[in-house]
Amino acid sequence: MRTLGVPRDARRMSTLVVSPSHHPLVGSVPVPSDKSVGHRALLFGAIAEGTTHIEGFAPGGDNLSTAQALRAMGVDIAIEGASAIVKGVGLYGLVAPTASLDCGNSGTTMRLLSGLLAAQDFKCSLHGDESLSRRPMMRVLGPLRSRGALVDGTPHPTKQGEITAPLSIGPLTGDSYLGPIEYENPVASAQVKSALLLSGLYAHGVTLVREPHVSRDHTERMLHAMGAPLETFGTLVRLDPAGWDGKLAAQKLVVPGDVSAAAFLLVAAQLVSGSRVTVRHVGTNPTRTGILEILRDMQAGVHVEAKGEVGGEPVAEVHLHQTPTLVARMIGGETVTRAIDEVPIACALAARASGRTRIRDAAELRVKESDRLATMATVLRAFGVKCEELPDGIDIEGTDAPLRAAVVESHGDHRIAMTAAVLGLIADGPTRIRDADCITTSFPKFVGTLRALGAEVSVEA
Ligand code: S3P
């Protein structure tokens, strides 16, 4: 098997043109560093004591939004090559930003910062791009308010009673303080959980968060390793700052590769006949590996070779040797929580499976960077794949036939753009994905990586 370097991509990608793949995809490639772990390494490093060294850091635009916001509050963050150095200012060392903090396209930046900033003695505001300015923020602001935070937002343009960005947060001054909270979240959400835990570091009293299934637990792992007084019991997380010295210890962290980015390459390899692809250094935290189980369950040729742990997170080489038959399955329940960002690319897999794949319990997809159930249904139909959109999921009829080459809009959603690119590999002619710049938010070298594996992809400005 070839081991390939990945060429640099052009900075701006307007339209991607993907040609049908007449040859197998072959090679061994890296992926960008895990976006979720990257946000947390920057944020927690910023409020730690001492210098946090982050290795293996290959960030997309979302992580850079977090870094910029922290810099605007006086945190010295140097990013060079694949390393970042964050000079922690301690729990109480952030300074008031002089302008509104720009969270770009990143919901994680906005929601985690809301929790952190709700506890500060200065006022600030947060804004984002068009997509972020439609995403629901009440899920974070509601519980933060109930513990005494001064947080507000902008009435949602279409959902009555909902609040969205821009947000206005704080200040917590005089004798106001954050109190204890026992919060039973109706949806599994790592962003809500993390915002409450971050505010809990500063609170008078215990923070208890329970969720229906365990959402990604990077916050718990990292905060615990840094010395925060936090424990988990199944779906319950408890943080009790009583008796704690209020100090997070800076760490040397290695960020694993992003399994959410790897998913596009693994599914691409399963769709293109004869492919043999390895993705190196992939994070395989069990709260994130739903897509690997979906691949295995649908009889794709996936093999996970464990390679130990980095920074408290398991990593592996993930191999995909294409198998001739894919079988449709039911995908629902807690698997969806553990594959929440991978449902779009799982839809691409379903397009090639024999039978009807049923995806359920996925209503959360409607409030991601786009309404991903609606945008995926549009994309699948554009390729000639039959599907039925449901309130909390989608049914997809798999087909053996070449897909119809399509012109697809990304709707500004990186995961929709990349899923369409993967489907384009098995279409009957060139596929065009418009408004594909958004891919840089999570996978800046996506095009280069596909090319390194042998795919024919070009970029039109
Ligand atoms: C994330 C949590 C998930 C995920 C998002 C990243 C995180 O969102 O969809 O891409 O890093 O905490 P929810 O917490 O809203 O499920």
Side-chain angles (χ1 to χ4, degrees):
M1 186 172 289
R2 286 178 294 157
T3 297
L4 297 157
V6 176
R8 280 182 76 82
D9 289 337
R11 270 290 124 202
R12 285 190 66 75
M13 302 183 288
S14 287
T15 296
L16 285 193
V17 186
V18 180
S19 301
S21 235
H22 300 298
H23 307 286
L25 302 180
V26 179
S28 166
V29 285
V31 277
S33 52
D34 189 294
K35 188 155 78 74
S36 290
V37 176
H39 285 302
R40 286 155 176 85
L42 294 166
L43 278 163
F44 306 165
I47 54 167
E49 307 282 326
T51 301
T52 291
H53 295 261
I54 310 174
E55 297 299 330
F57 192 55
D62 278 7
N63 278 175
L64 296 177
S65 294
T66 293
Q68 263 320 100
L70 291 166
R71 283 179 180 137
M73 291 186 285
V75 184
D76 183 349
I77 301 177
I79 303 176
E80 225 185 282
S83 309
I85 295 178
V86 183
K87 294 205 176 126
V89 296
L91 233 51
Y92 296 94
L94 295 174
V95 297
T98 53
S100 171
L101 300 171
D102 185 356
C103 302
N105 187 243
S106 176
T108 311
T109 306
M110 183 165 282
R111 292 187 178 133
L112 268 58
L113 275 178
S114 301
L116 176 63
L117 298 178
Q120 308 301 320
D121 62 2
F122 53 80
K123 184 176 165 72
C124 61
S125 46
L126 305 175
H127 67 279
D129 69 4
E130 204 190 314
S131 145
L132 193 49
S133 308
R134 281 192 313 265
R135 297 189 66 186
M137 292 296 151
M138 196 54 116
R139 52 182 56 204
V140 178
L141 301 197
L144 283 174
R145 273 180 188 165
S146 76
R147 78 183 317 174
L150 276 179
V151 285
D152 211 348
T154 309
H156 194 281
T158 57
K159 293 178 188 143
Q160 224 191 344
E162 184 53 89
I163 284 181
T164 188
L167 307 183
S168 141
I169 314 232
L172 204 63
T173 47
D175 41 8
S176 52
Y177 62 90
L178 299 183
I181 188 170
E182 236 186 279
Y183 189 62
E184 178 109 24
N185 199 347
V187 290
S189 165
Q191 294 176 350
V192 173
K193 175 172 64 177
S194 303
L196 291 176
L197 291 171
L198 272 167
S199 65
L201 293 173
Y202 298 81
H204 296 202
V206 173
T207 300
L208 268 177
V209 187
R210 192 190 292 281
E211 40 187 3
H213 309 292
V214 183
S215 64
R216 64 193 65 192
D217 66 357
H218 308 298
T219 293
E220 295 92 301
R221 285 175 188 242
M222 205 182 286
L223 281 182
H224 186 262
M226 295 172 97
L230 167 152
E231 299 167 287
T232 57
F233 310 91
T235 55
L236 180 78
V237 190
R238 181 175 191 276
L239 184 144
D240 182 0
W244 178 49
D245 65 0
K247 292 188 166 141
L248 293 174
Q251 303 281 303
K252 190 169 164 30
L253 295 165
V254 182
V255 188
D258 200 336
V259 66
S260 300
F264 296 102
L265 308 175
L266 298 171
V267 171
Q270 176 58 40
L271 296 190
V272 178
S273 192
S275 295
R276 293 168 75 84
V277 165
T278 294
V279 189
R280 303 194 296 267
H281 196 65
V282 179
T284 48
N285 178 318
T287 61
R288 298 286 300 282
T289 48
I291 186 65
L292 302 180
E293 287 147 39
I294 293 168
L295 279 160
R296 197 173 299 131
D297 231 39
M298 292 176 74
Q299 296 181 14
V302 69
H303 172 62
V304 179
E305 193 183 340
K307 293 280 180 190
E309 275 202 359
V310 296
E313 297 277 347
V315 287
E317 272 195 1
V318 185
H319 310 283
L320 194 303
H321 294 182
Q322 193 256 349
T323 47
T325 325
L326 265 183
V327 185
R329 290 280 188 243
M330 164 82 190
I331 302 170
E334 61 92 43
T335 307
V336 169
T337 301
R338 294 185 304 107
I340 192 70
D341 293 338
E342 289 70 67
V343 173
I345 193 63
C347 291
L349 197 63
R352 254 302 177 256
S354 66
R356 191 174 178 95
T357 295
R358 295 167 207 276
I359 299 177
R360 298 288 184 279
D361 308 316
E364 271 296 290
L365 265 76
R366 297 211 178 270
V367 291
K368 294 293 180 189
E369 284 83 330
S370 68
D371 174 343
R372 287 182 175 157
L373 293 176
T375 45
M376 265 323 296
T378 307
V379 167
L380 287 167
R381 288 187 189 119
F383 280 101
V385 178
K386 291 198 183 103
C387 62
E388 187 186 340
E389 192 187 329
L390 302 156
D392 74 331
I394 185 165
D395 279 2
I396 299 162
E397 267 329 314
T399 170
D400 276 349
L403 306 186
R404 191 170 63 209
V407 179
V408 176
E409 299 295 333
S410 74
H411 297 271
D413 185 332
H414 52 136
R415 300 200 198 279
I416 296 300
M418 289 188 274
T419 300
V422 169
L423 284 167
L425 296 171
I426 52 166
D428 60 6
T431 285
R432 304 171 73 80
I433 300 124
R434 292 211 282 237
D435 188 15
D437 302 356
C438 51
I439 289 173
T440 57
T441 64
S442 67
F443 200 162
K445 294 182 180 175
F446 176 70
V447 170
T449 306
L450 275 185
R451 283 186 190 146
L453 293 172
E456 231 183 274
V457 188
S458 59
V459 181
E460 283 175 5

